[in-house]
Amino acid sequence: MEELLQQIEQYKQEIAATTAANAEELETFRIKYLGTKGIVKAVMGEMKNVPGDQRKEFGQVLNAFKIFAEEKFATLKDSIAAGAQATGSSIDWSLPGSTIPVGTRHPLSIVRNQIVSIFKRIGFAVAEGPEIEDDWHNFTALNLPENHPARDMQDTFYVNQSPDYLLRTHTSSVQARVMEKQKPPIRIICPGRVYRNETISARAHCFFHQVEGLYVDDNVSFADLKQALYFFVQEMFGKDVKVRFRPSYFPFTEPSAEMDISCSVCAGEGCSLCKHTGWVEILGCGMVHPKLLENFGIDSNKYTGYAFGMGVERICQLKYKVNDLRLYSQNDVRFLRQFTSAL
Ligand code: PHE
């Protein structure tokens, strides 16, 4: 009898340790302990071998064992049902998964990349130059000698009070850097940051971005310049965009012009961006001044060239209707998150 009692004790421990994660495991438990050929039945069957005087006591033990197994079954069953219910109510499998936040490109980068890709398609290569520039490349080589009144057009930041080093005021300095190294044919664009000592407001900033273009070769004409720029604005703003050229002055080009495009914000109707004129200036341009070519040992009787310099912020403003220049450098993610582009 001792043996049987020990055996029951062991079964109880096994039962206590049993878990069931699902209906299948619950059923396995039921068959093993409570089924017609199960352990509880088998143990009950031992009753007939128990001597008469011990039967009462033994009957109680067996009964308690049966109840123990049945209760365990009920508990397992309840917990599975509760689990299924919890799963059913708190998780909606039809909801989309949680998203992984992805960064966006800065609007100025998007627009710069678009400009670069348009000009690359018509044979322009990308050139770069330093932002800390010397007087020669930023001014003198570009036909802006010391004391030239046109230097006042651009308020310059000088580096360490030195009159020789400055933060470039335009990307035209890269024209000088390219022409001193490379001989025609030259066909480059130069995207980059420039600096001017201006009071920061919605319409002006002490740094901004330009894309310079330079094309020097045999027989380059003003008509080529107009055609290249017309191609550019149509690619950038669509076929309906209109352009106009106004005569202007830059020391490094002759003749010089500024190009306006029809305002894409109001479609020419008149708005605050175009100051109710329907036109917005986007760039300065002209035929490379012969003096520049000579400065770099390029024969100005043989070669001609055109150059242009456009403001990236202005083009971005027309594309995305950004009305305050300061937004570009405040790093407000609510602003930045709005721009998505493959470029
Ligand atoms: N560098 C001029 C500016 O910053 C733009 C320009 C570039 C004009 C090339 C003519 C030719 O205003």
Side-chain angles (χ1 to χ4, degrees), residues 27 59 70 73 102 106 166 204 230 258 320 342:
E27 183 61 4
E70 282 169 353
F73 176 76
V102 190
H106 193 283
L166 47 89
Y230 192 50
E258 277 167 326
Y320 294 119

Side-chain angles (χ1 to χ4, degrees), residues 138 142 144 153-154 169-173 175 194 196 208 210-214 225 248-258 281 283-288 306-311:
N138 194 81
L142 302 177
L144 273 145
M153 280 161 65
Q154 304 173 348
T169 60
H170 51 186
T171 43
S172 300
S173 57
Q175 284 192 41
V194 301
R196 289 183 201 177
F208 55 97
Q210 291 186 326
V211 176
E212 190 85 6
L214 174 69
L225 168 64
S248 185
Y249 172 76
F250 300 102
F252 30 92
T253 47
E254 181 58 34
S256 303
E258 277 167 326
E281 182 206 319
L283 58 84
C285 61
M287 299 306 291
V288 179
Y306 67 66
F308 57 83
M310 67 180 79

Side-chain angles (χ1 to χ4, degrees), residues 18 42 60 89 107 132 142 154 173 182 202 208 233 244 267 291:
T18 305
Q60 281 171 354
S89 67
I132 298 175
L142 302 177
Q154 304 173 348
S173 57
Q182 201 183 320
F208 55 97
V233 291
R244 75 176 185 190
K291 186 123 193 286

Side-chain angles (χ1 to χ4, degrees), residues 25-310:
E25 286 177 28
L26 179 71
E27 183 61 4
T28 310
F29 176 87
R30 192 193 63 77
I31 293 168
K32 182 173 178 188
Y33 293 100
L34 303 169
T36 35
K37 290 178 184 157
I39 287 170
V40 171
K41 268 265 157 60
V43 173
M44 289 295 198
E46 293 294 323
M47 200 56 178
K48 58 182 183 299
N49 303 326
V50 175
D53 58 333
Q54 291 175 23
R55 281 206 171 174
K56 193 175 173 215
E57 191 195 339
F58 213 83
Q60 281 171 354
V61 173
L62 286 180
N63 228 11
F65 175 59
K66 190 181 172 217
I67 290 167
F68 183 78
E70 282 169 353
E71 277 178 352
K72 177 71 181 187
F73 176 76
T75 325
L76 290 177
K77 195 174 168 184
D78 284 354
S79 71
I80 287 172
Q85 224 171 42
T87 325
S89 67
S90 71
I91 300 176
D92 180 349
W93 299 102
S94 67
L95 286 176
S98 49
T99 49
I100 299 160
V102 190
T104 54
R105 277 193 214 286
H106 193 283
L108 292 173
S109 299
I110 295 172
V111 168
R112 181 205 53 214
N113 292 349
Q114 285 172 348
I115 298 170
V116 167
S117 99
I118 293 169
F119 281 103
K120 270 189 175 171
R121 276 187 269 148
I122 50 171
F124 284 79
V126 173
E128 278 180 338
E131 289 181 17
I132 298 175
E133 202 32 291
D134 53 38
D135 183 279
W136 166 255
H137 292 97
N138 194 81
F139 290 130
T140 309
L142 302 177
N143 205 20
L144 273 145
E146 218 180 314
N147 301 322
H148 191 292
R151 283 197 179 203
D152 297 341
M153 280 161 65
Q154 304 173 348
D155 287 312
T156 310
F157 283 119
Y158 287 91
V159 176
N160 288 341
Q161 323 269 310
S162 153
D164 295 330
Y165 290 95
L166 47 89
L167 297 179
R168 67 179 177 194
T169 60
H170 51 186
T171 43
S172 300
S173 57
V174 187
Q175 284 192 41
R177 292 207 167 258
V178 169
M179 282 194 278
E180 79 187 351
K181 280 210 230 76
Q182 201 183 320
K183 296 306 155 219
I186 295 169
R187 186 152 46 181
I188 55 108
I189 46 165
C190 160
R193 182 175 285 183
V194 301
Y195 301 83
R196 289 183 201 177
N197 192 354
E198 306 234 18
T199 312
I200 296 170
S201 71
R203 298 186 144 261
H205 210 291
C206 61
F207 66 81
F208 55 97
H209 300 81
Q210 291 186 326
V211 176
E212 190 85 6
L214 174 69
Y215 180 27
V216 184
D217 204 348
D218 301 323
N219 293 323
V220 177
S221 70
F222 202 95
D224 296 328
L225 168 64
K226 285 173 82 172
Q227 200 49 50
L229 293 177
Y230 192 50
F231 171 77
F232 163 69
V233 291
Q234 285 203 323
E235 290 296 299
M236 196 75 192
F237 295 104
K239 298 287 173 212
D240 294 334
V241 68
K242 294 193 200 61
V243 298
R244 75 176 185 190
F245 288 82
R246 284 178 291 101
S248 185
Y249 172 76
F250 300 102
F252 30 92
T253 47
E254 181 58 34
S256 303
E258 277 167 326
M259 190 178 90
D260 299 342
I261 64 167
S262 47
C263 182
S264 64
V265 170
C266 64
E269 292 287 305
C271 67
S272 62
L273 174 59
C274 62
K275 300 200 196 99
H276 301 279
T277 62
W279 295 98
V280 186
E281 182 206 319
I282 61 163
L283 58 84
C285 61
M287 299 306 291
V288 179
H289 197 295
K291 186 123 193 286
L292 260 73
L293 299 175
E294 297 300 333
N295 279 346
F296 298 106
I298 297 170
D299 184 352
S300 62
N301 293 314
K302 187 167 181 328
Y303 294 107
T304 50
Y306 67 66
F308 57 83
M310 67 180 79

